[in-house]
Amino acid sequence: MTDDAVTPDRIDALRTRIAELMPGLRQDLEALTRIPSVSLDAFDQSHVEASAEAVAALLRAEGLAVEIVREGGRPAVIGHVDGPEGAPTVMLYAHHDVQPPGKDEDWDSAPFEPTEREGRVYARGIADDKAGVMAHIAALRAHHGTLPVGVTVFVEGEEEIGSDSLPTILERHGEKLRADAIVLADSMNWGIGEPALTTTLRGMIRVVVTVRTLDHGVHSGMFGGAVPDAIMALARLLSTLHDDEGNVAVKGLKSGEAADLEFTEEQLRTDSGLLDGVHTIGSGSLLSRMWTKPSITTIGIDAPTVSQASNTLVPQASAKISVRIAPDEDPAAAYRLVTDHLKAHAPWNAQVDVHLDESGAGFAADAQGPVYDQARAAFTDAWGTPPVDIGVGGSIPFVAAFAEKFPEAGILITGVEDPDTRAHGANESLHLGEFERVCVAEAVLFERLGTLKKG
Ligand SMILES: [Zn+2]
């Protein structure tokens, strides 16, 4: 690929164009948000159909050839328009389904009636991810009739329930989605006025460990003191998963360093609700503990409840353990290491069984090369400050699926969210100023990617 310059005048023109388009974009965003497209089974799925139709109509209006595809799950929308001869193709991802709204009384305004307060608009899905959809529409509108790149848009309808049919969609329609650059608009910026590219996501495995010490429950007065019970054995086993500082003690798990960004213990305490006086755990920077190092948490235990407990040595107890793994860790390798650790640390030679409940790969972008250079430049044009690289401690299942399917493409994870968005929570909101900057960045990104002629 070769590189031509994008002039400051052209960037200004795109910024002005987005500003002119904002009222219409906001109107369309609010109309899309009024469709309560909750993809969870218990909700009326006709709304998810309606939101797919609404997205399809928005794309058709921009001149894209559009189809709605279903591969055993919710409807996804695929649109495409060719670019100039020899120009690269960019694929834009977002999702049109939303999380359930939760209880109405937790909201300060009706969840599906977008309401503006102090520069933010509140509604379920207005940020996650209908503003992601509209950022793509904004970039298309800004270039209407003279697109500098080929554009494919893929708007999924089941991200919030785990993207189960995405592998089938990629298998059957993947060739339509192939692109030189992929923009996955479903993440966040570092702060208001502080753009970010999400370059790492942790993966995860979930295992269930069962400990057995006795053939059946026996009287704790008769045998206690001579034979171990399973709850004590399980508790001791779980305690071996961390060292005294709280670092993961499973040998061989990968561990990386996060970007050097300002994030204080005070922020962590506020964000997480850590109780006064309770210490943080682990070592190294706080962000690397949450983004690039492994973590292990016991998320459930099967054992008699306190109210049903009797004076019995319990023969069997189980725990479900959630393991977040480094972005570049292989989930199968992590599962082997965790299993080996649990078996090797069985207290008193108790019987230990481990089985895998779920696993998902993380993501570590190769965050360099022409696509990343142009993205960083476009973000700098839009915000006046360069983007930082951030990680996300959780997983986004579709990202690994795209990375596996399109290893050649430059994958950019962008987003409209900021630390106050409260995606998935009550009073989810979108910051209007940030939304405009996201739209400018994507419009400028098209222009910049258009300078990367294929060759
Ligand atoms: Zn989302």
Side-chain angles (χ1 to χ4, degrees), residues 246-421:
N247 292 297
V248 168
V250 177
K251 293 250 177 343
L253 286 176
K254 286 190 183 174
S255 182
E257 281 306 316
D260 187 17
L261 297 172
E262 164 97 11
F263 187 74
T264 63
E265 184 176 323
E266 197 187 336
Q267 265 174 286
L268 174 65
R269 286 184 170 277
T270 310
D271 293 355
S272 67
L274 188 61
L275 295 176
D276 280 349
V278 178
H279 298 183
T280 63
I281 58 169
S283 55
S285 82
L286 290 172
L287 293 177
S288 66
R289 288 181 235 175
M290 294 185 287
W291 291 351
T292 50
K293 292 181 166 204
S295 70
I296 298 187
T297 315
T298 299
I299 55 174
I301 289 182
D302 277 354
T305 60
V306 169
S307 62
Q308 308 229 323
S310 64
N311 289 328
T312 305
L313 297 179
V314 171
Q316 170 180 328
S318 300
K320 188 175 271 191
I321 299 168
S322 164
V323 183
R324 299 287 174 174
I325 56 179
D328 58 343
E329 178 83 86
D330 170 22
Y335 175 56
R336 273 196 302 278
L337 291 166
V338 170
T339 303
D340 290 350
H341 176 101
L342 290 167
K343 296 208 162 175
H345 287 80
W348 307 298
N349 213 24
Q351 293 178 7
V352 172
D353 278 325
V354 184
H355 79 85
L356 185 64
D357 182 51
E358 198 178 328
S359 77
F363 173 73
D366 177 19
Q368 51 193 349
V371 169
Y372 266 84
D373 289 346
Q374 295 304 335
R376 291 194 172 105
F379 276 49
T380 308
D381 296 333
W383 272 272
T385 180
V388 294
D389 287 355
I390 61 170
V392 169
S395 317
I396 309 180
F398 69 78
V399 175
F402 283 115
E404 194 189 352
K405 178 81 185 174
F406 306 115
E408 309 291 305
I411 296 184
L412 303 165
I413 307 178
T414 66
V416 300
E417 295 176 28
D418 66 79
D420 291 325
T421 295

Side-chain angles (χ1 to χ4, degrees), residues 26-35 107 109-117 120-126 428:
R26 180 159 165 205
Q27 212 169 35
D28 290 339
L29 171 62
E30 295 192 357
L32 199 55
T33 306
R34 285 192 186 94
I35 305 171
W107 285 77
S109 50
F112 292 106
E113 185 46 58
T115 306
E116 183 176 351
R117 294 190 290 277
R120 305 188 70 99
V121 186
Y122 291 78
R124 165 60 79 240
I126 193 144
E428 174 180 350

